């Protein structure tokens, strides 16, 4: 009888699928591994939150762990996982060397969420009012850490085809270390579409996003200070509702009901909020990865207006479910047109459903994921033999994160 395979996920935070796209993606990964018979333990050094998912409802064991503590070594030795999944490169830096030393035969997977270095460099270019260039990545400190983490792992999940291209062409990462894995959702049928609220039953513009994520805060500022004025000029009765988890005082101060600009705070049910809206506005100026809010809009049958950064790698050249533009006058014009033109709105809605079904089908990617993990389990030694740069980075002379952690651990004991 085949023994049940054990998966250890080490999370940057506890999953909050209703707060962020990252939380939703983590639950998608958990469901795929669970459906394929893995026994899952989810460990994190993060504090519990009021909005974290109850992992036990999904058959997942929850374990709190400490940073810079040998107690993790004892825990991971006892668990003896077959596969370890690190949630973002910062977690691999903290725990990767401990997994490598204590469970050398465990497959080490990295879920990048998005390329942090790409987001960081774009943000810097934006704040310095200059054009982002790909070569900027090569001098970015975060890039050196993130690429080192990818090389140390046996396989990294990459959410965006554009980021796959960057890793292969700019950083020269071998394809065998990368696995394309977008957001994964169920197919939408005509019946699903008929259950969605009608054009006439929807009202208002909406933006939704976790405010711990800097691109979201910047987008709301941009909406308030620039785009909303243009929309109100053409459409004086327009209302925008801004939803998002963890709004700061700076965000709350933008609340201006007299101007139709409402800061609503956390959405109890993001799906319901987006379904009731007529248009999603997302003038995102920097960032990386895929935008969960825009996929969610498509699933809710809600057209969107966004930027090239917002739509990047999201629709595989299929027609967008609304409009893509970086011109603020055009953005406002298209937002108002889409709001009022039912035929244009319905056409955009259908475009969104087509993108969901073509680009994000869970059925198309889940088997591939499990197959590649099983292939690693069967041939890990040979796979690592061909990853010389990874083994070089595992060498003791380059393990700065390990010795920093040991120094902090010793310091904490005194």
């Amino acid at each position: 009888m085949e023994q049940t395979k054990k998966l250890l996920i080490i999370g940057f935070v506890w999953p909050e699928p209703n707060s962020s796209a990252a939380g939703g993606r983590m639950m998608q990964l958990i469901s795929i591994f669970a459906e394929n018979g893995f026994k899952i333990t989810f460990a994190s050094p993060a504090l519990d939150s009021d909005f974290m998912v109850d992992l036990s409802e999904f058959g997942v064991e929850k374990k709190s762990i400490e940073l810079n503590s040998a107690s993790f070594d004892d825990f991971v030795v006892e668990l003896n996982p077959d596969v370890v999944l690190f949630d973002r490169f910062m977690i691999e830096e903290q725990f990767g060397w401990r997994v490598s030393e204590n469970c050398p035969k465990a497959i080490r997977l990295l879920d990048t969420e998005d390329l942090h270095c790409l987001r960081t460099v774009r943000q810097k270019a934006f704040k310095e009012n200059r054009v982002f260039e790909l070569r900027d990545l090569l001098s970015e400190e975060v890039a050196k850490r993130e690429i080192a983490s990818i090389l140390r792992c046996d396989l990294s999940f990459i959410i965006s085809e554009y980021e796959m291209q960057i890793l292969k062409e700019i950083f020269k990462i071998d394809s065998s270390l990368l696995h394309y894995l977008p957001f994964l959702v169920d197919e939408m049928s005509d019946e699903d579409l008929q259950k969605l609220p009608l054009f006439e039953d929807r009202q208002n513009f909406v933006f939704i996003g976790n405010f711990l994520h800097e691109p979201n805060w910047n987008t709301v500022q941009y909406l308030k200070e620039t785009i909303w004025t243009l929309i109100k000029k053409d459409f004086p009765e327009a209302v925008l509702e801004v939803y998002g988890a963890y709004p700061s005082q700076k965000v709350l101060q933008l609340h201006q009901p007299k101007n139709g600009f409402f800061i609503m705070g956390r959405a109890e049910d993001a799906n319901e909020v987006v379904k009731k809206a007529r248009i999603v506005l997302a003038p995102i100026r920097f960032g990386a990865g895929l935008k969960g809010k825009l996929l969610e809009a498509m699933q809710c049958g809600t057209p969107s207006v966004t930027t090239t950064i917002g739509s990047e790698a999201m629709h595989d050249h299929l027609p967008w479910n609304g409009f893509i533009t970086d011109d603020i006058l055009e953005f406002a014009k298209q937002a108002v047109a889409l709001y009022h033109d039912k035929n244009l709105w319905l056409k955009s809605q259908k475009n969104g459903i087509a993108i969901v079904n073509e680009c994000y089908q869970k059925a198309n990617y889940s088997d591939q994921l499990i197959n590649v993990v099983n292939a690693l389990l069967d041939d890990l030694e040979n796979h690592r033999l061909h990853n010389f740069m990874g083994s070089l980075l595992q060498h003791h002379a380059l393990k700065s994160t390990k010795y920093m952690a040991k120094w902090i651990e010793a310091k904490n004991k005194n």
Side-chain angles (χ1 to χ4, degrees):
M1 184 177 174
E2 188 179 347
Q3 196 171 1
T4 301
K5 293 187 280 283
K6 288 185 280 188
L7 167 66
L8 168 63
I9 302 174
I10 308 179
F12 183 69
V13 293
W14 302 108
E16 292 186 24
N18 292 328
S19 299
S20 71
R25 175 173 173 80
M26 180 52 72
M27 295 311 297
Q28 291 165 11
L29 289 172
I30 284 172
S31 74
I32 290 172
F33 281 103
E35 287 163 11
N36 284 275
F38 281 78
K39 187 178 187 310
I40 305 171
T41 301
F42 193 105
S44 178
L47 296 172
D48 286 6
S49 79
D50 294 336
F51 304 101
M52 59 192 274
V53 75
D54 183 353
L55 290 166
S56 64
E57 290 184 3
F58 299 88
V60 176
E61 185 181 343
K62 175 179 178 286
K63 172 72 177 177
S64 290
I65 52 177
E66 292 181 45
L67 294 170
N68 306 309
S69 171
S71 61
F72 177 83
D73 302 349
D74 298 331
F75 156 69
V76 80
V77 166
E78 184 178 351
L79 183 66
N80 192 26
D82 300 284
V83 181
V84 178
L85 173 61
F86 302 105
D87 172 26
R88 290 166 256 208
F89 81 90
M90 302 83 82
I91 285 294
E92 189 279 334
E93 284 183 330
Q94 287 285 342
F95 295 100
W97 64 271
R98 292 185 184 276
V99 170
S100 178
E101 284 192 355
N102 292 288
C103 302
K105 292 183 178 179
I107 293 170
R108 298 186 295 274
L109 305 176
L110 173 65
D111 187 32
T112 56
E113 295 288 354
D114 60 22
L115 276 187
H116 290 61
C117 60
L118 178 61
R119 176 156 34 100
T120 300
V121 169
R122 278 178 167 163
Q123 185 171 336
K124 284 181 180 177
F126 170 79
K127 292 193 170 178
E128 293 166 10
N129 198 26
R130 58 180 174 81
V131 176
F132 159 73
E133 295 184 39
L134 282 170
R135 66 180 183 181
D136 296 343
L137 289 163
L138 296 171
S139 56
E140 172 55 47
E141 191 66 29
V142 172
K144 293 165 188 172
R145 292 171 55 198
E146 191 164 24
I147 298 306
S149 182
I150 288 170
L151 287 168
R152 284 192 298 264
C153 289
D154 298 308
L155 192 69
S156 291
F157 299 152
I158 311 301
I159 202 167
S160 154
E161 289 183 318
Y162 178 63
E163 293 178 5
M164 287 283 283
Q165 183 184 342
I166 287 174
L167 289 168
K168 291 175 184 178
E169 295 180 7
I170 303 299
F171 294 111
K172 312 300 181 188
I173 305 290
D174 193 274
S175 298
S176 65
L177 300 178
L178 307 173
H179 184 75
Y180 173 60
L181 194 68
F183 291 124
L184 306 175
V185 298
D186 293 324
E187 185 176 5
M188 292 191 69
S189 63
D190 290 339
E191 193 176 312
D192 294 324
L193 186 58
Q194 287 165 13
K195 291 177 184 174
L196 294 171
L198 301 171
F199 173 84
E200 294 82 4
D201 297 330
R202 296 170 180 247
Q203 62 180 2
N204 302 337
F205 296 97
V206 73
F207 172 84
I208 192 161
N210 185 323
F211 286 107
L212 296 179
H213 191 56
E214 179 68 21
N216 287 334
W217 159 237
N218 180 271
T219 298
V220 172
Q221 278 183 299
Y222 189 37
L223 276 166
K224 179 67 169 64
E225 295 167 6
T226 307
I227 291 173
W228 193 239
T229 304
L230 298 170
I231 289 175
K232 290 291 278 186
K233 188 177 175 183
D234 287 344
F235 181 19
E237 301 83 23
V239 170
L240 172 63
E241 294 180 333
V242 175
Y243 287 87
Y246 304 107
S248 66
Q249 196 57 40
K250 287 190 298 183
V251 176
L252 297 173
Q253 284 173 354
L254 297 180
H255 185 64
Q256 197 177 24
K258 285 183 180 178
N259 195 32
F261 200 96
F262 292 83
I263 303 296
M264 308 297 290
R266 176 185 288 273
E268 281 191 29
D269 187 329
N271 255 320
E272 285 305 308
V273 164
V274 178
K275 280 178 186 175
K276 289 175 182 174
R278 193 174 284 182
I279 308 291
V280 166
L281 299 180
I284 299 163
R285 292 190 283 183
F286 56 83
L290 301 180
K291 310 304 178 288
K293 62 177 68 59
L294 294 176
L295 176 58
E296 182 176 53
M298 296 176 204
Q299 291 178 284
C300 293
T302 311
S304 64
V305 186
T306 190
T307 57
T308 50
I309 290 280
S311 66
E312 181 179 271
M314 285 206 65
H315 57 117
D316 195 27
H317 307 298
L318 292 170
W320 188 250
N321 73 317
F323 293 98
I324 301 166
T325 179
D326 295 323
D327 181 277
I328 56 169
L329 294 174
E330 188 70 10
F331 192 101
K333 177 186 168 187
Q334 300 293 10
V336 174
L338 196 51
Y339 193 96
H340 291 295
D341 187 331
K342 181 177 177 180
N343 289 333
L344 181 61
W345 190 91
L346 288 170
K347 182 182 176 185
S348 298
Q349 185 185 63
K350 286 186 177 178
N351 288 347
I353 304 300
I355 293 168
V356 169
N357 288 342
E358 183 71 26
C359 303
Y360 299 100
Q361 279 311 292
K362 181 180 173 183
N364 293 343
Y365 293 100
S366 54
D367 286 348
Q368 290 177 19
L369 169 59
I370 295 302
N371 288 342
V372 78
V373 170
N374 284 334
L376 282 174
L377 284 166
D378 291 339
D379 196 23
L380 185 58
E381 188 176 338
N382 187 50
H383 177 81
R384 287 180 176 170
L385 191 63
H386 288 87
N387 181 15
F388 180 75
M389 291 305 294
S391 62
L392 182 67
L393 288 167
Q394 292 287 356
H395 190 266
H396 70 86
L398 294 173
K399 284 189 175 176
S400 57
T401 51
K402 169 181 175 179
Y403 293 109
M404 175 59 79
K406 283 192 168 291
W407 178 80
I408 294 171
E409 187 179 337
K411 187 169 172 279
N412 288 342
K413 286 178 182 175
N414 293 336

